[in-house]
Amino acid sequence: MTFDILLKNGTLPDGARADIAIAGGRIAAVDPLIDAEAGETIDISGNLVSPPFVDPHFHMDATLSYGLPRINASGTLLEGIALWGELKPLLTEEAVVERALAYCDWAASMGLLAIRSHVDTSDEHAMTGVRGLLAVRDRVKDYITLQIVAFPQDGWLRSPTARDCTLRALDMGVDVVGGIPHFERTMADGRRSVTELCEIAAERGLMVDMHCDETDDPMSRHVEQLAYETQRLGLQGRVAGSHLTSMHSMDNYYVSKLLPLMAEAQLAAIPNPLINITLQGRHDTYPKRRGLTRVPEMLKHGIRVGFGQDCVLDPWYSLGTADMLDVAFMGLHVAQMTSPADMARCFDMVTSESAAILGLEGYGLARGCKADLVVLDAANPVEAIRLRARRLFVVAGGRVIARGRADVSALDLPDRPREVARRFKTP
Ligand code: FE2
C-alpha cells in the first residue's frame, strides 16, 4: 500500500516509539515499524509526535486589538470589559476577520488546530464579531476547528439587548451557549441567567461553556447552580465552567461539598492560568491571591480540566503567542503541579483533555483518527513544556502545513498571504 505521508521513528506522548502512516486525511496505521512506500517519508528521529494542541477558551473577536482604542491602565478584568465596550462600536467585520485570520496563522504554525472561541453577543456592535468569526470558522475549517460560543459579555439579564442578540447568534450557527453570571446585577440574577441559558442549550441540543465566577469574591458560587442545572436538564458531560477563580478564595468546607457536586454533574473546568494570574488579586495587598482555581483538587475528584489561553494582545492581556505550551507552563507553576505525572498531565490539559471538552471528532493518534498532529523538538511532553519546544512539523488534514519553524513564515496554506500575519507584531 502507498501512503500519502509516512512519519518514521516518532515518540508518542505515552513514550511508545512508532511510525505513523497517513492516507486520505486520516491516520492509516500506527506501528513500531511500518515498511511501505509513501508520497513523503519524514524521519522524526525520536522526537515527540502529539495530537494537535487544543485551546478550550479564547476570545477571537478581540484578539490582536491591543492598544485599540487605548491600553488597560489598571490591568483589571472590569477595566478590560469597559475598554472592550469602547472598542466594540469601532469594529468592522473586515478588521475582525483580518485579525482573527492572522491569529489563526499564528495558531496553525504552533500546531494549535482546535480553538473554542467565545464571541460577544451583548449588542448590535458585538454582532459584527459574530458575523466575522462565522466567516473565519468557514475560512479555516480545512486546518483549524473553530468552535464558537455565544457570550453575552455585558450580562444575559444586565444588558437589555443580550437576549435578542445571543439567540440570533445561535440561529446564525454559533455552536455553544455561554454566559457570565458573576457580572449580572445580583447573585439572584446570576443564578437565573445560568438557569435560562442552560435551558436554551438543552432545548437546542447544544453544549454550554460559561464564564463562571471569574472574581476573587469567595461568595460568588454560580458554579453550584451550573452543576445543578447540568444535572436537572440532563446535560452531563456537555457543560464547562470557565475560569472558576472564586474557588481559589472559597472556604475549604464549602469546596469539600462543591467538588463532588461538580464531579457528579460531569462538569468540566477550564482555568486560564496566563490571564487569571495577571487579572486576579488586583484588590489585594499582601498576601496577594493568585487567582487560579483548584486544579489538583479537581483532578483528584475526577473532574475534567483543560487549560485555556483566553486572550492574546487584547483589552485584558498585553502578551501571548498562540503557544499552548506557554499556557501549560504557567498552569503547571501556579497550580504547583510539579511531580512527573502532574507535569505530563499539564500537557494533556492543552491537548487530549481539552479535545474531550470540545467533543472533537476523530482526535488522537490512533488508526482512523484525523491526520492532524504536531511534531515537537522534544523527547517527551514534560520536555516539551520545559523548552516550550520548537514545532518541527505541523500536519493538518493529512497535509504538512508547517515545517521547521514555529512562526508564520513556516506556513504553507492556500489563500493566506504571509504579509498579513507579519503586520501584527507585539507593540
Ligand atoms: Fe474568557
Side-chain angles (χ1 to χ4, degrees), residues 57 59 118 151 211 214 243 272 310-311:
H57 188 112
H59 293 265
H118 295 253
F151 172 47
H211 284 65
E214 189 182 6
H243 295 290
N272 297 284
D310 201 5
C311 301

Side-chain angles (χ1 to χ4, degrees), residues 131-171:
R131 288 188 292 275
L133 290 201
L134 285 170
V136 169
R137 183 179 68 182
D138 194 50
R139 286 275 294 272
V140 302
K141 66 178 186 315
D142 290 341
Y143 55 99
I144 289 178
T145 301
L146 177 57
Q147 199 176 74
I148 309 176
V149 186
F151 172 47
Q153 166 89 72
D154 297 338
W156 169 250
L157 298 168
R158 187 167 169 180
S159 160
T161 48
R163 173 183 290 272
D164 175 55
C165 290
T166 301
L167 294 176
R168 262 170 47 216
L170 294 171
D171 290 342

Side-chain angles (χ1 to χ4, degrees), residues 20 26-28 33 47 61 85 114 136 142 153 175 190 201 224 246 248 273 293 333 342 349 380 385 392 394 397 406:
I20 299 175
R26 294 270 161 178
I27 292 179
L33 182 65
N47 283 303
D61 52 349
V136 169
D142 290 341
Q153 166 89 72
D175 306 283
E224 176 188 275
S246 74
H248 184 98
T293 195
H333 283 77
D342 278 351
M349 288 195 279
N380 56 55
I385 294 174
L392 299 175
V394 179

